[in-house]
Amino acid sequence: MPKQRRIPMRMCVGCGQMRPKMEMVRVVRTPEGRVVVDTTRSAKLAGRGAYVEPKEDCVAAACRANRLDRALEVAIPADVFEHLQRVVAQRVQTGS
């Protein structure tokens, strides 16, 4: 009988639910201090990461309650939240 492969799980900073890592959107604070949305889905960007479930409610909760700021230990610029909202809207629209 073959071994079952372990699926990496991550917690959404917006709602607190555990989900498979590949279903989440990663936001990264790079070693240089920049904050970017990692759209590669495989966590290729180096730095401290936080995950958000691709739902508008989760993005709004992460923004409103400063949860993303605390998770990345830095103030998040407004343009990063706008980019995150666009990425989530695109994922919801395409269904992936």
Side-chain angles (χ1 to χ4, degrees):
M1 183 153 109
K3 279 188 169 180
Q4 283 191 343
R5 195 173 175 136
R6 184 182 67 85
I7 298 173
M9 304 291 280
R10 298 293 183 266
M11 183 184 293
C12 173
V13 296
C15 65
Q17 294 290 320
M18 295 293 287
R19 302 277 305 202
K21 175 181 164 183
M22 294 303 286
E23 295 178 9
M24 306 286 267
V25 178
R26 184 171 184 245
V27 182
V28 183
R29 183 194 71 211
T30 63
E32 296 83 35
R34 282 186 350 172
V35 178
V36 294
V37 178
D38 187 359
T39 57
T40 62
R41 285 196 179 189
S42 57
K44 295 288 183 184
L45 289 176
R48 183 174 183 84
Y51 291 84
V52 180
E53 198 170 342
K55 295 180 181 176
E56 282 99 11
D57 295 344
C58 291
V59 174
C63 176
R64 182 178 56 249
N66 293 330
R67 294 176 185 165
L68 201 53
D69 295 31
R70 284 193 298 262
L72 296 177
E73 301 171 347
V74 67
I76 308 297
D79 62 327
V80 173
F81 278 117
E82 292 169 4
H83 186 228
L84 180 60
Q85 288 171 337
R86 284 194 306 270
V87 168
V88 167
Q90 181 181 11
R91 285 222 190 148
V92 168
Q93 189 177 40
T94 61
S96 60

